[in-house]
Amino acid sequence: EKADYIGIDLTREHAVAFTNALIEGYADYFSKLGCSKFDIGSDELLGWYTFELGGDVIDYDNRWTALEHWKSYARNTLGIEKGSARDVLVSYINDLAGRLEKKGYTCRVFNDEIDVNKSQHVELKDSIEVTYWFDADNTAAHFAEKGHTVHNFMESWCFYVLRSENGRDIMNGKYRTVNGRNIYENWNPRSFARKAGKSDTVPEDRLGGGYFAIWCDFPDYKGAGTVWAETEFKTWANASRMWNAEVN
């Protein structure tokens, strides 16, 4: 059942302080283990569900425009001319990245809430790397041109999700392209296009690498043995192509 839900309110000082303390605690812990990369994420800040705010019902499509107090915060507190809710998010990401960079981390964020439309006036720090998974708004080349290192995270090639959709395993539906043979024969890890034969490339010096993502949306949906059996050849094919994009 979908519940009323909203993410962290970045205009509330105590919420930001709590979030920073939580993240920095993990950053210190993993730094001691030798980790040097930190993925801030930032793509589902407001969630996917319908929620109520100020007596209004807010859905996924209008959730950003509904945050009038974020707009006021951007303009009156952050001093951003024509500031918007998205400016609050990007400003926070930049601040958090600065904190983590002082601890020796390189930071990464997902692309789908960054540079989406003209309501964003604050630029993402170019030291922040972009994990590119969704090609709806900007190309990977767009982020590379702005100085970001880009990592291939394309959902149509690199996602394994534990979830059913409309009574059907999502890996046999939306993500049916993510199979070992298709990855091995058709995926170009240098291209950030959704389909084979299409191209969205970045300069070699801006290509950071790639991922294979296992998303445990519903962790009890499948057992560990099933997950291993269904991802073994997917990850093998992904790694083979990443190691040598010309392999055949």
Side-chain angles (χ1 to χ4, degrees):
E1 180 177 313
K2 294 182 178 180
D4 287 345
Y5 172 80
I6 187 171
I8 302 159
D9 189 341
L10 296 177
T11 69
R12 296 180 181 240
E13 184 177 347
H14 68 278
V16 171
F18 171 79
T19 304
N20 286 346
L22 183 66
I23 291 173
E24 289 183 19
Y26 278 107
D28 290 339
Y29 173 78
F30 284 109
S31 179
K32 293 176 182 177
L33 299 179
C35 296
S36 60
K37 309 292 190 296
F38 202 107
D39 198 326
I40 298 173
S42 78
D43 63 320
E44 295 180 333
L45 181 76
L46 302 183
W48 293 94
Y49 302 127
T50 296
F51 58 88
E52 186 174 321
L53 184 67
D56 296 323
V57 176
I58 310 301
D59 61 23
Y60 178 78
D61 292 327
N62 70 353
R63 69 201 196 291
W64 280 102
T65 56
L67 293 174
E68 287 294 325
H69 70 294
W70 283 36
K71 182 194 295 184
S72 299
Y73 182 84
R75 298 179 180 186
N76 300 328
T77 302
L78 300 181
I80 303 168
E81 185 177 358
K82 298 181 180 179
S84 67
R86 287 192 184 277
D87 291 323
V88 177
L89 171 62
V90 179
S91 296
Y92 174 70
I93 293 172
N94 287 342
D95 177 75
L96 179 58
R99 293 169 179 268
L100 294 170
E101 286 169 355
K102 290 179 180 178
K103 297 178 181 290
Y105 282 101
T106 298
C107 295
R108 295 173 182 170
V109 298
F110 291 116
N111 66 288
D112 51 312
E113 296 291 6
I114 307 298
D115 277 354
V116 174
N117 55 43
K118 294 180 180 178
S119 69
Q120 180 182 321
H121 308 94
V122 177
E123 291 285 346
L124 188 71
K125 289 181 62 175
D126 60 14
S127 60
I128 299 175
E129 300 180 346
V130 174
T131 47
Y132 190 90
W133 74 277
F134 186 64
D135 60 354
D137 298 296
N138 279 306
T139 63
H142 166 84
F143 292 103
E145 288 169 2
K146 290 200 167 187
H148 302 285
T149 295
V150 188
H151 298 262
N152 200 323
F153 213 114
M154 283 300 295
E155 62 172 345
S156 55
W157 299 101
C158 304
F159 272 28
Y160 176 85
V161 183
L162 276 74
R163 177 164 33 112
S164 64
E165 197 168 64
N166 299 320
R168 183 185 186 189
D169 191 315
I170 198 169
M171 297 309 300
N172 296 324
K174 180 179 180 180
Y175 294 127
R176 62 185 179 277
T177 56
V178 188
N179 67 75
R181 178 176 292 277
N182 192 37
I183 295 168
Y184 190 70
E185 294 182 350
N186 296 307
W187 184 44
N188 177 4
R190 295 193 180 98
S191 174
F192 294 79
R194 181 174 295 275
K195 297 180 179 179
K198 303 292 184 180
S199 182
D200 173 18
T201 59
V202 301
E204 285 291 325
D205 64 344
R206 292 298 175 198
L207 179 60
Y211 288 75
F212 188 87
I214 298 178
W215 295 111
C216 299
D217 289 16
F218 295 92
D220 294 332
Y221 177 57
K222 296 178 182 178
T226 301
V227 172
W228 173 257
E230 293 184 354
T231 59
E232 181 180 6
F233 288 107
K234 293 177 173 65
T235 55
W236 178 87
N238 175 285
S240 297
R241 297 290 289 188
M242 285 294 299
W243 184 259
N244 177 9
E246 308 304 325
V247 70
N248 187 335

